Amino acid sequence: MNKALCLAIAAILGLASCSAERVSNFPSYKLKIIQGNELNPRAVISLRQGMTRDQVQLLLGTPLLRDAFHADRWDYTFNTSRNGIIKEQSNLTLYFENDVLARAEGDAIQKSIEAVQAGQNVVPTTEKTNAK
């Protein structure tokens, strides 16, 4: 066989084995991406109807989304993904009426209850590093 033909076949086979699926198996290409608000489970459980917007913001922090078209709704979202695949996701939606908390919805409430009952470490990672 011709050397050029052998090199061309080897190059084609080599490039075919480097698909995106196979490259994602290498740990150096897996970046952990954290987006949104990581909520303290004890703070989520402490939410009560009748709390003012300021009290809620002091408790949970600034919401990820304040929609101009829905001024009485705050959305807290937290996602952790690795290589484009979502590993952890939680959502909390708060509804206000006359600037007081009317109701809260989302899976973050149930996850917070389970975390506190299980006695897991409920302090967000940013507070752990500052507490030294």
Side-chain angles (χ1 to χ4, degrees), residues 112-121:
S112 298
I113 292 169
E114 291 170 1
V116 169
Q117 287 176 347
Q120 291 179 352
N121 189 2

Side-chain angles (χ1 to χ4, degrees), residues 6-62:
C6 288
L7 287 174
I9 291 173
I12 290 172
L13 290 174
L15 289 174
S17 67
C18 291
S19 66
E21 182 180 313
R22 291 182 191 256
V23 170
S24 67
N25 291 327
F26 294 109
S28 61
Y29 291 99
K30 291 183 180 182
L31 298 175
K32 183 175 181 182
I33 299 172
I34 299 172
Q35 295 178 322
N37 303 68
E38 184 176 12
L39 298 174
N40 185 333
R42 291 188 186 172
V44 174
I45 292 174
S46 300
L47 287 173
R48 299 286 178 253
Q49 286 183 344
M51 294 178 84
T52 64
R53 290 179 190 256
D54 291 335
Q55 289 173 329
V56 172
Q57 189 168 354
L58 283 173
L59 192 62
L60 298 178
T62 306

Side-chain angles (χ1 to χ4, degrees), residues 115-129:
V116 169
Q117 287 176 347
Q120 291 179 352
N121 189 2
V122 294
V123 180
T125 55
T126 55
E127 291 180 15
K128 285 184 216 171
T129 56

